[in-house]
Amino acid sequence: MKLPLLAILALLTAAPAFAQSSLCASLPESGPVASPGPPVLTSPVPTGNRTLHCPDDFRLDTNGRMPQCLKPGITITDGSPRAACYAAMPFGPLLPLPPRSRPTQTCPTPKTTTILRLEGANVGVADAVVTITPDDGITLTPLTASASDVPEDQNPVLQSCFGFECRLLKLDIASNAAAAVRLRVTIPGRDPIEEILKLPEYCPR
């Protein structure tokens, strides 16, 4: 049975807009990759005005006995296009995190719910994983939906928070959370980037 066009549009607008993976995630795990190779040399061509001309992408090198046109060389080897992309992808650093709070053990409010904004190159792509250590008393929820019914403060689009430089997180923090936790973002094959998130005690009155 075919759905009416209006019903299809309603389903599309109701669906969450999940964060997209980086371009690296779509590359194959194995295949040819490029690495720096020996420089490529060729002879310059004299011109009518007594200068020397090099082909496109070559530069004139006059340091040797004879002028040469030179450009960096490339060596093609077997490797991982995906890993090579991750190695070259801009990643972080994270901007310092503003403190949040955790309720006291006697606080009538059992948990504190807050929105935390992470900022840094590519921290919001789907293949970047966020963890908190220690995570006792903390529930972390990535905020990726941008439908019309999403609250404004949780909507990445309405907060101008896009994956190439930003990520929104919802944190539910209980009283047994640590006074300071380490928030870490990782992507495959790269050293993680991290910042300390301080959680001083506070009970709303």
Side-chain angles (χ1 to χ4, degrees), residues 110-188:
K111 68 178 180 180
T112 298
T113 299
T114 186
I115 307 301
L116 185 65
R117 182 185 182 103
L118 307 185
E119 293 190 74
N122 286 306
V123 297
V125 294
D127 35 335
V129 178
V130 182
T131 56
I132 288 180
T133 307
D135 61 355
D136 296 342
I138 301 179
T139 301
L140 183 157
T141 305
L143 299 176
T144 57
S146 58
S148 59
D149 59 345
V150 176
E152 180 178 324
D153 64 336
Q154 300 183 30
N155 186 324
V157 173
L158 299 183
Q159 295 301 314
S160 296
C161 183
F162 301 104
F164 59 86
E165 64 179 2
C166 178
R167 167 169 261 165
L168 293 184
L169 303 173
K170 183 172 77 170
L171 301 181
D172 295 309
I173 307 167
S175 60
N176 62 323
V181 297
R182 188 177 302 275
L183 189 146
R184 173 177 290 187
V185 186
T186 58
I187 60 172

